[in-house]
Amino acid sequence: MKIAIGSDHAGFKLKEAIKKAFPDAEFVDVGAFSEESTDYPDHIGALSRLVRQGGAERGIGICGTGIGASITANKFDGIRAALCLNVFMAEMSRRHNDANVLILGARVTGEQEAVAITRTWMETPFEGGRHQRRLDKITEIECGG
């Protein structure tokens, strides 16, 4: 699975740790590439565009709290970004919401927990069924419905 990954300066170290924790994953890193101050909408926008256009199947976005990254990613049609603070949220974001972008907050989630969240999010399938009906309603809203 190809995964777009991006962060601002606050999320840089966690982004690098996640890439290291999953050496077999195919990451497309859209930055930041250091801890030098940068703006999360630039990197989260880039990963969201990649996912929306099919250049990556999913994305992982990281900023300080995850709030700004979440707001940014969810501005893009077709993106279902979920800010996950624990493994249960990651599991449900996939099972019930088919989240295609995982958002993490580097200043509120430790590295070990973030890796566990990411692993769960990467491995959990979408259940479909009644949940697909709900996603269809979200798509309708995106289209102005």
Side-chain angles (χ1 to χ4, degrees):
M1 171 184 346
K2 189 182 285 190
I3 301 171
I5 189 167
S7 70
D8 64 1
H9 57 284
F12 172 74
K13 283 185 179 179
L14 185 56
K15 176 176 66 80
E16 295 303 307
I18 287 174
K19 288 172 18 183
K20 184 178 178 182
F22 299 95
D24 295 333
E26 184 180 354
F27 289 109
V28 179
D29 192 336
V30 298
F33 299 107
S34 74
E35 291 182 271
E36 184 176 330
S37 184
T38 186
D39 299 327
Y40 61 82
D42 297 335
H43 307 292
I44 304 308
L47 81 83
S48 297
R49 283 183 200 91
L50 271 173
V51 173
R52 184 183 66 193
Q53 295 168 355
E57 293 170 65
R58 295 192 202 165
I60 300 172
I62 309 164
C63 69
T65 62
I67 296 168
S70 183
I71 291 168
T72 301
N74 281 311
K75 293 292 183 183
F76 291 84
D77 287 350
I79 298 299
R80 293 175 305 282
L83 172 57
C84 296
L85 303 177
N86 56 53
V87 169
F88 179 73
M89 291 175 76
E91 180 182 352
M92 292 300 100
S93 78
R94 289 289 308 134
R95 286 197 192 286
H96 292 186
N97 308 110
D98 197 20
N100 55 8
V101 174
L102 169 65
I103 303 294
L104 298 167
R107 293 179 177 150
V108 297
T109 305
E111 181 181 320
Q112 187 175 5
E113 181 73 5
V115 168
I117 289 167
T118 302
R119 178 172 288 109
T120 298
W121 183 80
M122 289 172 65
E123 294 175 354
T124 302
F126 175 52
E127 286 182 359
R130 71 183 190 277
H131 305 295
Q132 182 61 54
R133 181 180 74 242
R134 295 166 184 160
L135 293 184
D136 293 343
K137 289 181 180 189
I138 291 170
T139 300
E140 186 179 320
I141 291 168
E142 285 177 340
C143 296

